[in-house]
Amino acid sequence: MEGGEIKTYDVIIIGGGPAGLTAGLYTSRSRFDTLLIEIGLLGGQMTTTELIENYPGFPHGINGDELSRLMEEQAKRFGMEVVSQEAVEVKIEGDMKVIQANGTTYRCKALIICTGTEWRKLGVPGEKEFAGKGVSYCATCDGAFFKDSQIIVVGGGDSALTEALYLTKFVKELTIIHRRDSLRGTKIYQERVFANPKIKLLWNSVIQEIKGDSIVRSALIKNVKTGEVTEISIEGVFLFVGLSPRTQFLKGLVNLDEAGYIVTDENGETSVKGIFAAGDCRKKLLRQVATAVGDGAMVAFAAEKYLEAK
Ligand code: NAP
């Protein structure tokens, strides 16, 4: 489709992770003209997850990239269209929702937002400068570059623990640096981390600065209890300090909570009639592939009811 052209759909989905792909599967199976807009890879964060162990139906886990391809194939089989563009603005014109994406204007009757989250930045000196030169937010993308090296992983949640376990395939030794004295992540991952001889834990500690020349060489670590600062030699820093919702482009349009997550009713409808939200970008208790898929199915059904009532 050329820039400037306007195309109208029954349903537009912004974001192609598990929530968006499931919503697209449902609305296209119900024969609603459906477009999915995604700037990155279909599958979203799943595509960089080595093994998804808690998605039912796969007793030995499934590779995230493979699950993404299967979900994509299933949704496309029923006619869902996909464009590789970034949605930058949404406006309301009467009953229609108008989306601007890389110079193209799309219109739809029902809009489903599934934009997920992105990695939160730590904001310490050296983080920006050494991004891609030793600082990483993706173990499956960059892990292999750190063969036999010493690295640090920051964070104590599920991401930090699962990614640290994955990184032990490559590195000589890694240290998990956590700002408290107990981990947030799921117990089964904690057990595996504690049992892994390649993983050390440094409690009550934060990174103060990442240092190097053309690549990362060391980090200044501060003990938050004693205030003591030590410099340790490392070749890589993997940061997993949580996620922020990708909802900035919706500010002023739908209600967001203080952290930027989209506030919806129990059916996934936002403060604007005909705009729904599903998956990690929605305000909710648990953000997993299983809950994203459930959300996607639920909002697709709610959007269908909205369209049928019109
Ligand atoms: P998270 O659960 O929010 O954990 C973030 C971690 O980073 C916490 O341990 C937090 O410390 C630490 N942190 C935050 N800000 C920091 C700062 N400025 N300096 C130092 N440390 C900081 O994020 P996540 O691990 O990315 O997980 C996000 C969601 O995805 C969760 O719902 C998680 O269950 C889910 N997830 C699930 C799986 C799985 O089931 N396989 C895998 C990955 C992610 P505190 O603990 O002190 O707050």
Side-chain angles (χ1 to χ4, degrees), residues 51 53-54 119-120 122 154-160 162 178-180 182-184 186 189 205-206 240-243 280 285-288:
L51 190 68
E53 267 189 334
N54 51 2
W119 295 111
R120 202 181 287 149
L122 204 50
V154 183
D158 281 339
S159 298
T162 52
H178 186 38
R179 63 181 175 182
R180 294 189 286 132
S182 65
L183 297 169
R184 176 184 290 277
T186 309
Y189 299 137
S205 299
V206 293
F240 302 108
V241 293
L243 302 156
D280 284 6
L285 181 64
L286 183 63
R287 297 188 171 84
Q288 308 255 308

